[in-house]
Each structure stands twice: as structure tokens, then as C-alpha cells.
Amino acid sequence: MLVEAAWSAAKIPGPLRAFFERVRSRRGMQIAIVATARKLTCLCWHLATKGEDYAFARPSLTAQKLRRSSCEPECRHVAARKALLPRIR
């Protein structure tokens, strides 16, 4: 199960993928995925024991989520309704 999580982490751009690529270029794919699984396990352990959030975040994705969450639910409802109505000029 850890190796499957490492495969997912190795496909997504970020520091775990960069680690996977570095090890893969030197040691091969199988050793790289096990090393990534170990790194992911250590990362999860430290996050759980310290009660912290994962520090890495893609800046564009974070900004997009913050923009979406800053709009109140009523605001989103009105915007969706306006988008469905035909425009009359």
C-alpha cells in the first residue's frame, strides 16, 4: 500500500517527484519507488507526531482555493444563477 502511495506521489509535480527522479536516475526505478515510499512514510510520521500540516503547496493552486473560499456560499449561489440565466441587453 505504501508503494502505491509512492507511485501517486511520484506522478504529481512536487518535491517527492523530484526525489523519485533523482534516485531513479542513479539507482533504478524499483529502488527509487521504495525510497520514495520510505520518505513518504517518514514524512507522514513526523506530520502526525508534531500535529503539523504538509508545508509544500503549489502557489497557483493555493491561490485558486483561497479565492474560491473567500467568496461566501450565498455569493457563489448568486453567481451560478446569473451564469444560467440568458443575458438580455
Side-chain angles (χ1 to χ4, degrees):
M1 186 164 31
L2 293 172
V3 174
E4 291 176 15
W7 277 116
S8 289
K11 291 180 183 178
I12 299 170
L16 290 172
R17 180 178 182 169
F19 173 78
F20 171 78
E21 294 293 333
R22 280 194 313 270
V23 176
R24 186 180 73 159
S25 67
R26 291 177 298 160
R27 303 292 305 258
M29 189 176 295
Q30 295 299 319
I31 293 173
I33 202 64
V34 172
T36 305
R38 179 182 165 88
K39 184 175 266 304
L40 187 60
T41 303
C42 291
L43 177 68
C44 291
W45 171 258
H46 287 289
L47 293 177
T49 57
K50 293 180 181 180
E52 297 177 356
D53 292 332
Y54 185 47
F56 174 75
R58 290 187 291 174
S60 61
L61 183 61
T62 303
Q64 181 182 13
K65 287 182 179 181
L66 288 175
R67 269 186 268 130
R68 263 192 264 149
S69 69
S70 68
C71 185
E72 297 177 12
E74 296 171 5
C75 179
R76 278 186 264 159
H77 177 70
V78 171
R81 181 178 276 174
K82 285 182 180 178
L84 292 175
L85 294 174
R87 294 185 183 195
I88 301 173
R89 292 187 183 209

